[in-house]
Structures are given as structure tokens and as C-alpha cells.
């Protein structure tokens, strides 16, 4: 039982192929698109991503962490931009060694493909779009992009990492052979990518290293209903993403239909950005508008023959910067399950797949929910006074008592030793404790930071206990 | 804009047709199945349902409440059966005038069809299965069951009440013209209906009025993972429903494959039922096993031309006895929206449909979640000591202070003046308050009932306030 067919050679599929090959399986990795190492990239597709501890752990498992780090730009916090162009930095953690990284999606994908290809037991095939999967027999039909010819590939099992729009998942949904729970939830907002180009060489300043604004942060322009963010690239540019309602708002994709409207909107809401994007309205109309969706489903496997992983199993919105990290952590958890059963030849793939979902599903559900929460927090709360007081207090806790306190953000992003679901449970209880203690005036200026921390911890435990009694 | 096409003449569709006709619209009501007034019923389909205040309000709106009540059998509480055959009654409310009703689904459906048919502006067509809907132009294609011929019907708007497996909703899901959020969640349990027949005439006792067990209650045999319930019918029989895991359990549908296994299982878990069902294993194998699913979706309307209502918009599991009630309440809420805009000719159906969803969706989401919660409560909690103490306390509150206290169950079931979402929010806070006060030993024997009530109310307000501060 050693032939593994992996469908989809994106970030998750290529890391998984590498790791499964390292474990000794015979791997065939099939990708719909051309080899991205030999083509130019589309504009307007998400070209950088946030890489943090959970993702790094996956790369470390496969021995490619150090290579990947060469592609990283550390981001130490959120740089908040107000309407007047003032900025202030909100650190991601009070601990100096905790930060997230901006990394190029194609750059990392190429690295992983290169590493997978070095393995003699990995075969990578491009330009083959999966058309249909035989869910009971682990075979799949592909159509060649150029010749249009159909090929059928059969394996012992199929691991499907074909992304948020997974064809394999669609086959499971449409199959009437088992009950498939499925959910797709769209936000009322869409997104559009723009670019802040690098400074021309002549204008480079030593201060900004060729970047038009501060390099080592994730920039946010929170505006209540809408929001702009920007992440740095190695070449001095930033990839900017606008999150905007589709409709029913003064400014929305439905009514930003002319260059005048786009310029009016940006001049009013993001005046400091206008100076940094030379061809604003042109980019706006050239680049596509994408939807923001969450997908959950269960079971992830069919008949012990086909397993969904990564975005195919759990697509999430980008607001926690955890999409890629969750997919890489899938590879880690799947590897742990394989390791656990390694010595036992009698264990079926069905058992392995079920165990994997039993261990993992609650965590991918949690990060999906946290990401939607953070959408609201980023566009609304970052500008609200009580949330700023909370953030300030938590940053102080983390700086002064680095071993004793982790904010929800830190638990999710930096504390890979606990699961997403534990991070969510504890993080939400802490948030509730602090917000209520602040609201009730129970945290006073006279108290020492240590006393404040003890109070928050005590209140957090009470909240967790009371929830446990009521909801089990 | 007066031609309304209603697809699906089940409970919701027939009440909606009646009400829309009363409002003066020209209504065409199309049903896939034959006229149930002229055919015999399938065995093994849900043949009785719980009708309570929200449903009665819908029937009252259309002037058919009194007729419907003639079909009702009041159920005053849950009659819990333990393994030894002992029973105890857990009242639904401490107020004597609050009870739910067992009513025949086909009986009520026939009544509504009769009433709708009396209206000169209603045309009912049977045996026409909806095949496809033009979501932008309010037309639908039907296939005749007998002739197999296709017909196309065009209207000003389509109201789709074609149930949990809605073809119209499927058309919305598969349409790529708008973002459609959709969720289907299956429980790990399936259900199977059985029948406790009426006593033969010769054996009728005055005590039980021809019924083999107590008539005026909803019977429950809670067994942790599995559960049996029974509701009375007018003819002296009970419709029994078994809820059992599909697999991975000592007793589950996957392994109850022989008469011996079925009899062993029932004799062990439900010995008092075995005596009441003469042809147990025969019925077990003749009747189908059905899945238990929750469906949510949004938007409910497409292009202001087609609107989903009832189970088509929000299918729920049966454990709160609110499926039909929620669908009838849909008709009430939709009627209120029509009433609100009645004087304004300029209001489009699009505006009406959006307003209806804006008002209603949070409530159908709430009852869907409450119904899943109640699944766990019924099979597990009804047998747990702390939940029994809570229930006893709440029944005492309701009996002693009928104006001052409503349990979650009462808020959902009897208090139709507040919405499902308000009932959920307050009901959950009350449950949490009582369970924690009991767990902490803060409700003591020395306290008067009035003092206990005040404490519960105070704690409930604190919980609601703290949630509000933390989650808005």
C-alpha cells in the first residue's frame, strides 16, 4: 500500500508530497496549472502570505525551514494608518522574538517543488486538471490542458490538496453514497489586490531600504466597514489588498465603477496610499475582485481511499494570516498520525484517515471561526478605545511576564504547542475577562501590572469553569 | 404584480397559499406528489408532529386555528421511561395552560388544502415535479408524473416551499450568478419510525382511552447515545421514532441487521416498548431509515424574483418540535412585512424579500441551533442529576411566579411574542446561571423560592451583560 496520488501541487500539496516521499511512499503529484517555475505569474492573485510558527513547524519537519526563511520579511506588528496619514505600531507580541513573516507564495511554492523533485520517489505532472474521482477505488481522471486527452491514474490512496475550489470535495458533495456535511459561507465583502511599487533606485533612502513605507510590519488602514492592508515583498514593493463590501454601502464594488469614483474614495479614506500607488485606478479596474469564503466539511475521507487536506478540507478567510499555516500544520498532524501507527502493518488507511480527522477537525473549525472574528476586529475594533486599552495591557503582560501570558493572537500565531481549538477557547475567555474587567472599572491605575495579571488570570479561569459547567 | 407561483403544497406551502389568497394575490400552488386527500399514505414517514404556540399563531392568521385544534392531542410534558419501565412526567411548563399538541401531518395538510381550495383565486396543481427554475425571471419548469410532459409556468414571483430537499434551493446553489452561502450538517444518528397500535376494542380501558400508554404526553426513552420517542395519534396509536447512531456503537443501524439483534436491543433498552409493538422486527426492517440534517442558506431570494420559505430555507432536526412551527411562523413574519409595505406601491418584491430575510434569518438560525442542542439534552441530560434539579427548579418558578419566569423551553415553545433568537439568548443565559449556581452550591435549601428566583435573575443579567461587553 505505497502508491500515493496527490492532487494539487500548491503549497500544501508540494509540502505533503515532499514529506510523504521522505516517509518512503511512492508519490505522484498532479497539478492542473503549468509548472510555475517556467511561467510568469498572473497579476492580482495573492502573491504574498503571512508565515508564522505553525507553518514554520511544517517546513522544519520536511527540512526546508532554513531555505524558506531566506524568502521571509519579518513583520513585528500592525502599523495602523488613520485618515490623516498618522501611523502607530501595534506589536503582535510583547516578546521581542515573536513576529510573523511576509513570504512570496510563488517563491515558497517553487522552493517546495524543487525539494520534492529532488526525491527519486516523487513524480510531478503539470497541466493535468482533475475531472472526476472514483471515491471508492482511489482513481482519478485528468484532462491534459494542451492535448485535451484524458488520463486515468489509480493509486492505493488519493490525498487531495486541490485547494478551496477542490474538485475532489465537489465529487464527495455530489456523491449520494454517504452523508457529507458541507458548509460554504461568504462574507458580504470582496477583495482586490493592488501594488505599491518599490521606489526607483535613485530615490532609495537608507531609512526605508527602497520601500515607500515602513518595511517590517503589516500595514492596516481600518475604516469600519472597509479596510486596506499591505504586506512587504523582497523587491521593495508591497502587495496591497482592499476589503470592501460588494454592495449596500456608500463605497462598494457595485458603485466604484469609474476612475473618478475610485480616486475620490481613496483620496477620502486612504490619502497616504494614493501617493504610493502611481496607477491606482488602472490597477483597480485591471485586477479581479475575489470573494471571501469559509468552507468546512466532514467527513474528510471517503471509503478509506480519498482524503482531503489543506484548503480542500477547510478554506478560511485571510484575516488571521493562518491559511497556509493551517495547511502546513495539517501535514504535521497527518505525519504524527502516520508515525503513531507506523509500526503496525495491520492498520488500514481508513483508520488512519479517521484518526487524522478526529484529531484535527476541531482545530481547523476553530481557526476558520477565529479568522472571521478577526475580520471584524481588524476593520472595527482596532480603532475602538476599549480594544486599544486591552491590546496595550496584553502587550505589557507579554513584555513583563513573557512566560505567564499569551494573548489570543499570540496563542494562535506563536504558540504552536497548543492546538487552534485550545487557543480559541482560552483566548476568547481572556478577551472576555479583560474587556469586562476594564468595562467594570476593576482594573485600576493603582494596581501593579502583576496584580492586573493575577486578576485577569483569575477571571479567565472563572469564565472557563462556568462555560464548562453549562456547556460541558 | 399579483401572480404568485408557490412551489410545494406541504404544510408551509398550503398555509402560505391560503394566506396570500386572503391578501388578494392570484395564487398557483404546484405540488410534486399526488393529492394526498385522494391517496393512501406511505408507512414510515413522519405522520405526527408537535404543534405549539408559534404554529397556532400562523393558523390563527389564516382563520383555521379552531379547525386545526380538532385534530390536536394535548401533550403536557415529557413522560420519561427508564430501563426498568418506570415512568415519571417532566412537565413542559409550570403553567397549566402551556402544553404542546400532537397533530397528524396529513390531517393538517388536508385541512389546509381544503381551505386554500375554497378560495377562488387559488389554483392547485398536483403531480408536477419542479425540474428547473429561471431565477432571474420567475418561471419554473415542471414535469408531469403521469404524462412526463414538461410545462413552464411564469409568474410575477415564485415562493418556494418545496421542503428540506428543495429543488429551487439546489438551483440557487448551482447558479454561479450570485454568492450563495449554504450549509448542510448531518447528525451521526438516523431515525426510523415504528408504530404502537391502538388497543383492540375489546381491551380498551377507560383509564387509557384505547391507548397502550399514557395518552397526553410525549414519551421519551433516553439512553445516552440513542433514544426512542412516541407521540399519540387520534386513533389510539402512537408514532414511535427511534434515533440511533448509523455506526460505531454497540447498537447502531449498521449492526441491527437481523430480527434477533433488533429484539435483543429492544428487550435490553426498551423492554416496556416491546410489549406494545406486536410486529417489532418486521416494522423495523420494512420501514426506511432516514437521515437527520440541518440546512441553512443565504440569501433566501434571487434577483427579487424567487424566495425560499419553510424547510426549503431552513431545514432543522426534529428535537425541539419546532420544524412546522417555524415554517408557519415564516408565513406570519412574511405577512407582517407585506403588511408593513402594503400602502406603498413603489416597493419592489426585491425590497420585501430582503426585509423579510433581514428580520427572519437570525431566528431560523437560532431554532436550528437550539434543535441540535436539544438532541443532546434529550438523549443525555434528561437522565443527568444536575439537569433534573434545574428542571425541577424551573418548573417551580413557573408554577409559583407564572408572570416572572419562563424557561428556555417555554420561551421557545410558548412565548411567541419574543423571537427565537431572543429566546435562545435569554434561555441559554438562564441555563448557564442556574447550572453554575447549583454547581457552586449558591442555591441552598434555606432560601425561599422567591430568593432563588431573584438570584437566578440577577446572575442571568450579569451573564447577558458580560457577553454583550465582550461580543457586542
Amino acid at each position: 500500500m505505497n502508491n500515493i496520488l496527490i492532487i494539487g501541487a500548491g503549497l500544501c500539496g508540494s509540502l505533503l508530497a515532499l514529506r510523504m516521499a521522505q516517509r518512503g511512499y511512492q508519490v505522484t503529484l498532479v497539478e492542473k496549472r503549468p509548472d510555475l517555475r517556467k511561467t510568469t505569474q498572473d497579476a492580482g492573485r495573492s502573491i504574498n502570505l503571512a508565515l508564522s510558527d505553525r507553518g514554520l513547524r511544517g517546513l522544519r519537519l520536511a527540512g526546508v525551514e532554513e531555505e524558506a526563511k531566506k524568502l521571509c520579511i519579518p513583520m513585528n506588528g500592525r502599523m495602523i494608518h488613520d485618515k490623516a496619514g498618522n501611523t502607530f505600531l501595534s506589536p503582535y507580541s510583547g516578546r521581542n522574538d515573536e513576529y510573523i513573516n511576509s513570504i512570496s507564495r510563488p517563491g515558497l511554492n517553487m522552493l517546495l517543488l524543487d525539494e520534492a523533485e529532488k526525491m527519486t520517489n516523487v513524480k510531478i505532472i503539470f497541466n493535468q486538471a482533475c475531472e472526476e474521482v472514483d471515491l471508492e477505488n482511489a482513481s482519478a481522471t485528468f484532462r491534459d490542458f494542451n492535448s485535451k486527452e484524458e488520463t486515468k491514474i489509480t493509486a492505493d490512496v488519493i490525498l487531495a490538496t486541490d485547494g478551496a475550489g477542490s474538485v475532489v470535495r465537489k465529487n464527495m458533495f455530489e456523491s449520494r453514497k454517504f452523508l457529507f456535511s458541507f458548509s460554504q459561507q461568504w462574507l458580504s465583502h470582496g477583495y482586490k489586490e493592488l501594488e505599491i511599487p518599490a521606489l526607483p533606485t535613485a530615490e532609495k533612502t537608507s531609512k526605508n531600504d527602497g520601500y515607500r513605507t515602513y518595511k517590517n510590519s503589516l500595514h492596516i488602514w481600518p475604516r469600519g466597514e472597509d479596510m486596506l492592508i499591505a504586506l512587504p515583498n523582497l523587491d521593495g514593493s508591497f502587495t496591497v489588498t482592499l476589503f470592501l463590501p460588494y454592495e449596500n454601502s456608500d463605497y462598494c464594488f457595485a458603485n466604484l465603477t469609474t476612475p473618478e469614483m475610485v480616486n475620490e474614495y481613496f483620496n477620502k479614506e486612504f490619502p497616504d496610499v494614493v501617493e504610493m500607488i502611481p496607477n491606482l485606478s488602472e490597477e483597480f479596474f485591471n485586477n479581479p475582485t475575489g470573494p471571501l469564503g469559509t468552507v468546512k466539511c466532514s467527513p474528510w475521507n471517503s471509503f478509506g481511499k480519498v482524503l482531503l487536506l489543506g484548503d480542500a478540507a477547510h478554506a478560511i478567510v485571510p484575516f488571521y494570516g493562518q491559511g497556509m499555516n493551517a495547511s502546513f500544520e495539517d501535514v504535521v498532524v497527518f505525519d504524527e498520525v502516520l508515525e503513531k501507527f507506523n509500526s503496525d502493518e495491520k492498520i488500514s488507511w481508513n483508520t488512519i484517515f479517521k484518526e487524522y480527522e478526529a484529531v484535527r477537525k476541531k482545530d481547523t473549525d476553530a481557526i476558520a471561526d477565529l479568522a472571521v472574528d478577526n475580520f471584524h476586529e481588524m476593520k472595527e475594533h482596532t480603532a475602538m478605545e476599549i480594544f486599544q486599552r486591552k491590546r496595550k495591557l496584553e502587550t505589557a503582560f507579554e513584555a513583563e511576564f513573557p512566560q505567564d501570558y499569551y494573548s489570543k493572537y499570540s496563542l494562535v500565531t506563536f504558540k504552536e504547542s497548543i492546538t487552534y481549538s485550545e487557543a480559541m477557547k482560552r483566548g476568547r475567555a481572556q478577551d472576555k475577562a479583560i474587556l469586562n474587567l476594564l468595562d467594570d472599572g476593576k482594573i485600576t491605575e493603582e494596581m501593579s501590572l502583576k496584580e492586573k495579571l493575577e486578576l485577569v488570570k483569575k477571571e479567565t479561569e472563572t469564565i472557563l469553569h462556568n462555560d464548562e459547567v453549562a456547556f460541558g
Side-chain angles (χ1 to χ4, degrees), chain A residues 143-405:
Chain A
R143 188 174 297 279
D144 187 275
F145 179 78
N146 299 310
S147 72
K148 308 298 175 199
E149 273 176 30
E150 270 195 2
T151 319
K152 190 169 171 177
I153 302 180
T154 301
D156 294 315
V157 287
I158 295 176
L159 305 181
T161 50
D162 54 342
S166 173
V167 170
V168 181
R169 191 186 65 229
K170 191 161 180 280
N171 271 258
M172 289 188 183
F173 181 85
E174 287 170 359
S175 158
R176 295 299 176 110
K177 293 178 179 166
F178 61 102
L179 292 176
F180 188 65
S181 291
F182 171 79
S183 146
Q184 65 183 30
Q185 302 296 326
W186 304 103
L187 296 184
S188 53
H189 289 54
Y191 76 94
K192 188 184 284 284
E193 292 188 341
L194 306 165
E195 190 197 36
I196 295 175
L199 282 170
T201 314
E203 294 175 36
K204 278 190 186 175
T205 62
S206 61
K207 183 187 162 208
N208 272 335
D209 199 19
Y211 290 80
R212 288 177 197 250
T213 182
Y214 183 69
K215 175 185 176 183
N216 290 110
S217 65
L218 190 153
H219 295 264
I220 309 187
W221 293 256
R223 296 294 181 266
E225 258 315 293
D226 36 348
M227 172 172 71
L228 206 64
I229 69 168
L231 277 75
N233 296 310
L234 287 173
D235 66 1
S237 66
F238 287 87
T239 301
V240 178
T241 311
L242 170 67
F243 299 98
L244 186 71
Y246 277 107
E247 52 181 16
N248 303 324
S249 186
D250 286 349
Y251 294 107
C252 56
F253 284 117
N255 66 21
L256 291 184
T257 53
T258 64
E260 292 70 31
M261 288 286 289
V262 171
N263 286 322
E264 175 193 311
Y265 170 60
F266 273 77
N267 275 307
K268 189 173 164 192
E269 299 291 334
F270 317 111
D272 56 338
V273 176
V274 175
E275 297 163 22
M276 296 190 278
I277 305 185
N279 307 309
L280 177 61
S281 71
E282 193 181 325
E283 279 209 36
F284 189 93
F285 293 110
N286 281 344
N287 292 349
T289 305
L292 295 160
T294 301
V295 173
K296 296 176 182 172
C297 62
S298 180
W300 284 341
N301 95 87
S302 61
F303 307 103
K305 288 290 181 183
V306 181
L307 177 71
L308 306 174
L309 295 104
D311 286 0
H314 48 76
I316 67 180
V317 294
F319 303 103
Y320 231 108
Q322 286 292 316
M324 169 178 62
N325 293 291
S327 291
F328 286 176
E329 198 175 59
D330 280 4
V331 177
V332 174
V333 175
F334 188 60
D335 190 74
E336 285 169 350
V337 174
L338 289 172
E339 193 62 34
K340 176 181 162 185
F341 290 129
N342 204 22
S343 54
D344 193 343
E345 299 255 323
K346 292 191 300 292
I347 295 296
S348 68
W349 282 107
N350 196 28
T351 301
I352 290 167
F353 291 172
K354 281 187 174 173
E355 169 75 6
Y356 168 68
E357 183 172 346
V359 173
R360 183 63 175 158
K361 173 113 172 83
K362 64 183 188 320
D363 295 315
T364 57
D365 283 353
I367 192 58
D369 294 345
L370 285 164
V372 172
D373 288 352
N374 228 32
F375 169 55
H376 300 291
E377 182 173 331
M378 287 173 82
K379 67 188 175 59
E380 298 160 19
H381 296 174
T382 44
M384 278 172 68
E385 199 256 346
I386 193 168
F387 283 88
Q388 288 177 7
R389 284 170 64 202
K390 175 171 94 65
R391 195 77 204 116
K392 207 173 146 188
L393 190 64
E394 292 188 284
T395 306
F397 287 163
E398 292 190 326
E400 198 75 23
F401 309 104
Q403 301 307 314
D404 280 353
Y405 192 81

